[in-house]
């Protein structure tokens, strides 16, 4: 194939995602990519939801009129994210990658899609430290922790940050020490791990941006397959940061249950951000965009929009096993509880509920 | 003056420091510097000790033979630090400043001193993210916290890091919330604040570098006037990082006393690194260099070299007031205690001792 010789890429295939047609390396794992950049079809849902999020933020942006909202895909690889942002939303789009071959391929993809994207062949931290954006997307292979501070510097007084983490094993409690090194908080393996891991990542982002007196406010967060995805707003202000600190509590977490406490104790972890991580209005708007554009991820965003702000969920399968209760359908449990209590499903687990009812009443509803 | 017109600097004076002659802006505060870079004579001791530290590290460096040790003064201002490193120690020296006028002045200073320094007019984080060094010096106006991660990336597998913090009010407990936002640990105002603040800064550096699986090991640390200065080594390794985590404990700190605990409790702060922060052999070597070069700071480094590794000190003036004891001379108290206990002075307070004797025996020695 004509691309191969000039770019050192052995095999190229063409795929379609959203509005974009793309040349991508014909490999199954990033390690096989030999530096051309890896295209991960498993991330299509992530990108679909990201397009919808950006569309919502673009609509409220003061810079919309002149199409001047500055968007940065800091680790672009094949360029798919940047190209979709440009074609499906608009704005000034920048795409950065430290790998020269990745940028070459991304350029060809932009050309193929007739999109005008500013490509930069540079270290992402160096690029973000010197350039200001309104929306920064950090979608690395592995942990995003090393890019958050530079993204914060790039966002100036205010902006939006989107973050992917694929090191879910560390965050979800499989490797507690790795989480402690990387995110500053010990994780725990438990039935509500997915939300705990997501909140550990959020807490870490909040802490890093707080060093710059910037407050990170989550808008939409979920786990899908092997990644965590977080969207949030960033705005400068020491008082806003202090308000976030007030929303961090200690979790006494074991595999059977959790307890939230004001103060630390021998077995507690944290402090962890325990306030709402799904901003309902935002999620509802994103869902509308997804429907309008006929994109995937609608079920995820619908669950996020409906989710109660209470931290952590009860997995009914886990409870059924532990307390020897029959496996009642989730709808039935929700129906029973909702007569007297707040109750919702959760984006983090298909067999779980969030509720203020307390364990006893949940168990009663499972009879 | 000839410099003024071309550089937009209103007043320039010439000064001498160490081996260097320098043009510096004729201002008393950095705010008056109008971006030409500020020369702070109160930092001479800091730079004297830094020269001696670098000289010691240079001697053990494998790159010494070819004079290839790469040294970075990441926030150079007038260039004084870089020029002294080059003239008084050697190696390949790079000096970076985001301010164009500062770099112009620093260039003239390098020329005046006939030193070959590589100047870079760039954001420090951007520069450090893309270039590798063996020794990185972070000497900002204010908090260094925003530069540590990029310095870590720059140091690669191993190297040395020197850090100045001038936001001592936050670190030493005057503004506990600022410390919590910036360094992730609440500080406390107490008679051992200076060491506590220094350890909070060290803990923060350790935490940030740990995100890259890099272990920071302090070698020499002190407070002088309004700044904290820390020298340490950085080396890659997850296990080394875990070993550092094991050396972090919780401090129950109030203005009257401290208590170190394995686990957190309602009133504890931390976890804080409680292992030794002065590496004796290193400090002794630095002291020798200072003497040989007839530089200032000898008393500070001597105290650091002799300091016991135990965290925190007893201020005898504070104890005398609190327990209504006579003001006995420090030498006499040390003489009395040293018969049965380990005891030393401390670099952090001229009226204080470190000892394993415990409060009662100290009070007895004060009779």
């Amino acid at each position: 194939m004509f691309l191969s010789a000039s770019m050192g890429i052995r095999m190229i295939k063409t795929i379609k995602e959203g509005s974009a047609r793309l040349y991508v390396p014909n490999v199954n794992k990033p390690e096989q990519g030999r530096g051309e950049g890896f295209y991960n079809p498993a991330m299509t849902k992530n990108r679909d939801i990201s397009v919808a999020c950006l569309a919502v933020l673009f609509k409220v942006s003061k810079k919309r009129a002149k199409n001047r909202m500055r968007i940065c895909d800091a680790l672009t690889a094949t360029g798919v994210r940047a190209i979709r942002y440009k074609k499906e939303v608009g704005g000034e789009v920048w795409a950065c990658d430290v790998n020269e071959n990745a940028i070459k391929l991304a350029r060809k993809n932009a050309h193929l899609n007739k999109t005008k994207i500013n490509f930069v062949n540079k270290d992402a931290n160096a690029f973000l430290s010197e350039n200001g954006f309104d929306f920064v997307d950090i979608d690395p292979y592995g942990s995003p922790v090393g890019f958050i501070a530079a993204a914060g510097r790039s966002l100036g007084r205010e902006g939006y940050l989107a973050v992917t983490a694929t090191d879910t094993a560390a965050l979800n409690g499989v490797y507690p020490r790795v989480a402690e090194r990387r995110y500053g908080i010990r994780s725990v393996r438990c039935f509500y791990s997915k939300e705990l891991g997501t909140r550990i990542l959020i807490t870490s982002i909040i802490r890093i941006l707080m060093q710059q007196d910037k407050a990170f406010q989550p808008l939409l967060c979920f786990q899908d397959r092997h990644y965590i995805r977080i969207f949030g707003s960033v705005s400068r202000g020491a008082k806003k940061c202090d308000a976030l600190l007030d929303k961090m509590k200690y979790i006494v977490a074991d595999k059977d249950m959790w307890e939230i406490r004001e103060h630390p104790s021998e077995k507690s972890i944290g402090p962890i951000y325990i306030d709402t991580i799904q901003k309902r209005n935002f999620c509802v708007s994103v869902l509308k965009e997804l429907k309008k554009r006929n994109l995937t991820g609608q079920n995820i965003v619908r669950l996020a929009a409906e989710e109660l702000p209470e931290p952590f969920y009860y997995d009914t399968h886990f409870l059924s096993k532990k307390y020897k209760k029959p496996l009642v359908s989730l709808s039935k449990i929700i129906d029973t509880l909702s007569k007297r209590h707040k109750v919702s499903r959760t984006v983090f687990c298909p067999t779980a509920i969030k509720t203020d009812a307390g364990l006893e009443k949940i168990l009663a509803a499972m009879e």
Side-chain angles (χ1 to χ4, degrees), chain A:
Chain A
M1 216 185 143
F2 81 99
L3 278 164
S4 314
S6 64
M7 297 169 55
I9 297 168
R10 286 179 307 168
M11 299 275 277
I12 290 282
K13 61 180 178 184
T14 315
I15 59 104
K16 210 177 163 331
E17 181 185 307
S19 66
R21 267 189 65 215
L22 299 155
Y23 302 122
V24 301
N26 192 11
V27 295
N28 296 318
K29 289 178 183 173
E31 304 87 70
Q32 300 169 336
R34 307 207 165 197
E36 296 93 350
F38 172 61
Y39 171 80
N40 190 352
M43 285 286 186
T44 302
K45 205 184 281 177
N46 177 333
R47 288 184 287 262
D48 277 3
I49 295 173
S50 302
V51 163
C53 282
L54 181 60
V56 171
L57 300 173
F58 194 73
K59 276 186 182 165
V60 299
S61 168
K62 290 168 224 149
K63 297 174 179 173
R64 183 192 177 196
K66 290 174 181 169
N67 210 16
R68 288 293 294 278
M69 187 175 179
R70 285 170 63 89
I71 295 145
C72 177
D73 178 11
L75 303 137
T76 201
T78 60
V80 52
R81 206 173 268 275
I83 290 166
R84 292 194 59 190
Y85 284 164
K86 183 69 190 176
K87 277 187 98 160
E88 300 173 35
V89 184
E92 288 181 10
V93 179
W94 297 70
C96 176
D97 205 294
V98 73
N99 187 286
E100 201 186 329
N101 286 333
I103 286 292
K104 278 185 189 168
L105 182 60
R107 257 185 221 286
K108 291 204 187 278
N109 280 327
H111 187 73
L112 181 68
N113 287 280
K114 300 187 176 68
T115 52
K116 195 184 159 292
I117 287 167
N118 307 287
F119 287 102
V120 183
N121 179 205
K122 217 174 169 47
D123 173 271
N125 278 304
F127 181 61
L128 289 169
S129 294
E130 289 195 301
N131 293 279
F133 292 100
D134 303 301
F135 180 97
V136 172
D137 201 317
I138 301 292
D139 186 81
Y141 174 62
S143 169
V145 72
F147 303 101
I148 304 300
R153 286 193 286 275
S154 171
L155 290 170
R157 284 201 72 80
E158 57 178 24
Y160 299 96
L161 180 61
V163 174
T164 307
T166 63
D167 57 338
T168 47
L171 285 162
N172 291 352
V174 183
Y175 306 119
R177 279 238 132 165
V178 178
E180 189 161 12
R181 287 202 303 272
R182 217 171 269 167
Y183 298 99
I185 300 169
R186 187 161 45 84
S187 60
V188 176
R189 211 170 178 182
C190 52
F191 65 85
Y192 49 95
S193 273
K194 285 196 171 181
E195 184 173 340
L196 186 65
T198 304
R199 287 183 182 271
I200 288 174
L201 176 59
I202 291 168
T203 308
S204 179
I205 296 172
I206 290 174
R207 289 276 189 188
I208 291 171
L209 294 177
M210 200 173 272
Q211 293 172 358
Q212 306 170 22
D213 276 351
K214 286 177 185 168
F216 179 75
Q217 189 68 57
L219 297 172
L220 166 59
C221 310
F222 61 90
Q223 288 209 20
D224 184 44
R225 293 167 169 246
H226 311 301
Y227 69 89
I228 299 174
R229 181 72 169 162
I230 293 169
F231 300 90
S233 65
V234 177
S235 61
R236 200 184 283 165
K239 278 189 187 165
K240 291 179 204 166
C241 295
D242 286 346
L244 289 174
L245 280 178
D246 290 337
K247 286 168 183 167
M248 294 197 186
K249 310 279 176 208
Y250 295 86
I251 319 289
V252 181
D254 60 39
K255 66 176 181 30
D256 284 352
M257 201 39 69
W258 70 84
E259 205 178 308
I260 294 165
R261 291 196 187 157
E262 202 65 34
H263 299 289
S265 62
E266 181 164 342
K267 285 184 176 168
S268 69
I269 59 169
I272 288 170
Y273 182 77
I274 54 102
D275 209 34
T276 175
I277 56 175
Q278 320 286 11
K279 198 167 178 188
R280 189 158 302 187
N281 291 350
F282 178 77
C283 295
V284 168
S285 303
V286 173
L287 183 58
K288 274 184 200 160
E289 287 289 337
L290 285 174
K291 283 180 183 165
K292 197 177 84 183
R293 293 157 184 266
N294 199 22
L295 294 173
T296 65
Q298 294 181 22
N299 196 38
I300 286 177
V301 179
R302 185 178 300 111
L303 285 169
E306 289 168 3
E307 189 170 293
L308 284 180
E310 272 80 4
F312 308 126
Y313 50 80
Y314 299 87
D315 181 355
T316 57
H317 279 208
F318 173 84
L319 293 181
S320 150
K321 204 171 164 189
K322 188 180 170 196
Y323 295 99
K324 299 184 177 31
K325 297 280 173 189
L327 266 177
V328 185
S329 87
L330 212 57
S331 335
K332 193 167 162 278
I333 298 172
I334 290 174
D335 274 352
T336 311
L337 285 171
S338 63
K339 282 166 198 156
R340 287 163 187 268
H341 297 281
K342 289 193 284 184
V343 58
S344 78
R345 292 173 189 252
T346 168
V347 74
F348 293 105
C349 177
T351 55
I353 54 165
K354 290 197 163 198
T355 177
D356 60 354
L359 182 61
E360 257 178 58
K361 288 184 180 156
I362 301 168
L363 293 177
M366 290 173 75
E367 291 297 345

